[in-house]
Amino acid sequence: MKRAGLFGGTFNPVHYGHLRVAIEVMEGFGLDQVHFIPAANPPHKGKDGLAEDTDRFEMLSLAIGGEPGFSISDVEMKRPGRSYTIDTVRQLGRHIPASTDCFLIIGRDAFLEIETWKNFGDLFEAIPFIVMSRPDDMAATRDSAFSGIGAYIRKTVSSGYVFEKKENRFAHETLKPVYLFPVTTLDISATAIRRMVSQGRSIRYLVPEPVASYIHEKGLYA
Ligand code: ATP
């Protein structure tokens, strides 16, 4: 059985925070592949300050080149309308062979807003989640970094979710599990990077060098 991770986001631009956690999740879960899925039209962010699809896709290509376990999917960029994750999961489900186990990789902050996602309940029927800790989790320890997830998931999704310590996951009799995964939390955000570019500050060592060059050459975020 192969294992693949689906990692969605705006990637505006992709940075070392994204890349580092993707590697750690890939290793931690024995994934064969992580598919980065840039959103064309993110429902929660709007298009303000969003670089063109082609530019975000190109920056991802520059960033992941050389890592054989990483690939980019253009499903959301090719699909008209808003980029809803449930549509992406269903669409990919029709293309990815049944012999591949898929996981949805998501930051803890994004997970804690899942009730605002279209048909979020269906997602828990469709695909297991891997929830990563983020820099703003405040706490360094394994348990406290994820405090709040259990209460949230039981209140918003189903009271039937039970924490299994050995697997570090919330399991359910009928719904898919939600795995918790602590990652190296690099305090990097795309918002901060865009601001730095607009202020003429250096973004070196926050994004791969070819991505920084691309941003400067194309005059993005200026
Ligand atoms: P923005 O600042 O524009 O909101 P972002 O980098 O926080 O950008 P996305 O590009 O949409 O947001 O992030 C895609 C996914 O990566 C989300 O699940 C988010 O939680 C996660 N993520 C973003 N930055 C980090 C980071 N530094 N460490 C771990 N995960 C991250």
Side-chain angles (χ1 to χ4, degrees):
M1 201 76 174
K2 290 212 174 248
R3 288 156 81 89
L6 312 181
F7 189 19
T10 42
F11 303 114
N12 185 38
V14 61
H15 53 67
Y16 277 128
H18 302 126
L19 297 164
R20 181 64 214 164
V21 296
I23 279 284
E24 293 187 12
V25 171
M26 187 163 80
E27 286 180 350
F29 280 79
L31 305 179
D32 300 283
Q33 202 76 37
V34 172
H35 301 286
F36 288 74
I37 310 174
N41 198 344
H44 294 101
K45 297 197 179 181
K47 285 220 152 197
D48 239 16
L50 190 66
E52 293 293 329
D53 290 3
T54 46
D55 287 326
R56 289 181 295 119
F57 193 92
E58 184 58 27
M59 288 189 282
L60 267 169
S61 310
L62 292 168
I64 69 168
E67 172 44 62
F70 287 176
S71 58
I72 315 170
S73 166
D74 60 3
V75 276
E76 293 194 353
M77 289 190 159
K78 281 203 168 139
R79 202 170 59 220
R82 292 201 177 274
S83 302
Y84 294 114
T85 303
I86 186 66
D87 299 335
T88 302
V89 167
R90 286 188 175 137
Q91 193 176 344
L92 287 175
R94 289 192 287 273
H95 291 96
I96 292 176
S99 55
T100 300
D101 274 338
C102 284
F103 298 83
L104 193 64
I105 304 170
I106 180 173
R108 176 184 174 275
D109 56 342
F111 184 81
L112 290 175
E113 292 177 357
I114 203 102
E115 69 201 278
T116 62
W117 292 22
K118 180 187 158 195
N119 297 354
F120 71 95
D122 295 352
L123 272 176
F124 292 83
E125 288 178 11
I127 188 166
F129 283 76
I130 298 173
V131 182
M132 310 176 290
S133 66
R134 287 237 19 208
D136 52 4
D137 285 345
M138 281 162 38
T141 67
R142 212 175 159 82
D143 286 339
S144 52
F146 289 110
S147 61
I149 297 263
Y152 181 79
I153 196 175
R154 283 191 277 265
K155 187 173 127 236
T156 351
V157 187
S158 165
S159 56
Y161 270 104
V162 179
F163 188 64
E164 294 180 344
K165 201 169 167 55
K166 196 166 144 265
E167 303 253 29
N168 216 23
R169 69 175 188 182
F170 291 92
H172 194 280
E173 278 190 3
T174 51
L175 301 175
K176 303 288 186 192
V178 175
Y179 292 87
L180 307 180
F181 191 68
V183 287
T184 301
T185 52
L186 301 176
D187 194 0
I188 303 175
S189 78
T191 305
I193 290 170
R194 294 194 299 276
R195 192 181 320 118
M196 291 164 90
V197 174
S198 74
Q199 293 170 346
R201 291 165 59 200
S202 171
I203 53 168
R204 208 165 183 196
Y205 309 126
L206 295 175
V207 300
E209 200 59 45
V211 173
S213 303
Y214 187 91
I215 289 171
H216 294 310
E217 276 160 25
K218 297 275 286 195
L220 303 181
Y221 313 123

